[in-house]
Amino acid sequence: DIIDADGAFLGAADVGQTLFNSGIGSPIGCIICHGADGLTPPPGAPADFADFVGAIANDNPWEFQHKVRFGQPGSTMPVAISGGATNQDVADLGAYAQTLPVE
């Protein structure tokens, strides 16, 4: 319901940018670990890390929304649904993430 047939998030990128900066279901913004452009490897990432925010959001938006909702397994990434994030919040964040560079 939040991703169209072409893989685009059905959200507002400007709202998503605010969530990226201030937090989605958590007071910790994505920007803290992923950087302003989404190209910062998160804490504990391997040296060859390439799963950048924009890359995942564009290449596999279904994986992106799952990671946002439930966190990255084996990491300290916040779980958005535990903090009350809505499907629309995830769509908005995804729409913004799809504007970020992929590498």
Side-chain angles (χ1 to χ4, degrees):
D1 293 342
I2 64 170
I3 303 167
D4 72 14
D6 294 322
F9 279 97
L10 302 172
D14 59 330
V15 175
Q17 182 176 17
T18 299
L19 294 169
F20 186 85
N21 292 333
S22 64
I24 176 171
S26 164
I28 300 168
C30 310
I31 194 170
I32 299 299
C33 293
H34 296 286
D37 59 5
L39 296 177
T40 300
D48 62 347
F49 183 84
D51 288 340
F52 299 112
V53 174
I56 297 297
N58 283 289
D59 294 344
N60 191 338
W62 302 273
E63 178 183 358
F64 177 88
Q65 64 88 24
H66 187 67
K67 287 182 177 191
V68 170
R69 285 183 170 147
F70 305 109
Q72 172 64 34
S75 78
T76 59
M77 184 171 165
V79 176
I81 62 166
S82 294
T86 66
N87 285 345
Q88 190 59 55
D89 291 336
V90 175
D92 294 338
L93 180 64
Y96 174 67
Q98 288 182 326
T99 71
L100 296 174
V102 299
E103 59 182 3

